[in-house]
Amino acid sequence: MNLLKKENWWIWLLLLIFSSGSHNFVLGALLDLYDKNAWYAKKKNWILGFVLGIVPGIIMVMIFYLQILCLTNAKLKTPGKEIYLSPYIWCLYLIVPVIGWIVFIVQILYLTIWPIIMLKDGNGEINA
């Protein structure tokens, strides 16, 4: 059973609802997004991050989640990849008070919901 088929979009919707967004890691694996040479593939980075404290470790997990979320959307051809693939935009969201933070939350919601729509349109079958 290929979970990226157009007919199985509702499975991803249920996973989105019940997994609190962690379905994104599975979707990234099915789309073959993980790189063996990336920073997140090295154990020493994770050990160092959590040895320095729980806050740096949690920040690393959040950055990893955002990176896989953006790569998943790019692979599924979600509109706006010029915006969500730019690290400068994400930094700008965090630096600008209130308005930037609101746009940051809206961007996260956009990137969380649109992969389901793109899977419903059949873009997962192209990339599988």
Side-chain angles (χ1 to χ4, degrees):
M1 178 169 132
N2 187 358
L3 289 176
L4 296 176
K5 286 190 176 184
K6 187 176 182 177
E7 306 84 52
N8 297 330
W9 71 270
W10 61 273
I11 295 172
W12 290 103
L13 179 63
L14 291 175
L15 285 172
L16 169 67
I17 293 168
F18 293 117
S19 72
S20 301
S22 63
H23 75 287
N24 188 50
F25 296 118
V26 175
L27 185 57
L30 290 174
L31 290 172
D32 196 31
L33 296 177
Y34 296 108
D35 182 16
K36 291 181 181 179
N37 299 322
W39 67 271
Y40 53 78
K42 297 178 176 86
K43 285 185 183 180
K44 67 175 184 168
N45 292 341
W46 292 102
I47 292 170
L48 181 66
F50 281 103
V51 165
L52 291 174
I54 194 75
V55 174
I58 291 174
I59 290 172
M60 286 176 64
V61 170
M62 291 170 65
I63 291 172
F64 175 55
Y65 178 77
L66 280 176
Q67 184 176 1
I68 297 301
L69 185 65
C70 291
L71 290 175
T72 301
N73 278 280
K75 187 87 174 208
L76 292 175
K77 296 180 176 80
T78 300
K81 71 177 176 183
E82 300 81 21
I83 296 171
Y84 62 77
L85 286 180
S86 173
Y88 304 113
I89 297 295
W90 290 99
C91 292
L92 191 62
Y93 288 160
L94 294 175
I95 292 171
V96 177
V98 184
I99 295 172
W101 302 335
I102 292 170
V103 174
F104 179 82
I105 293 168
V106 169
Q107 184 79 6
I108 296 291
L109 288 172
Y110 174 83
L111 292 174
T112 303
I113 295 169
W114 264 89
I116 308 300
I117 296 169
M118 300 311 283
L119 287 170
K120 185 177 184 296
D121 291 343
N123 285 11
E125 294 175 350
I126 297 168
N127 296 312

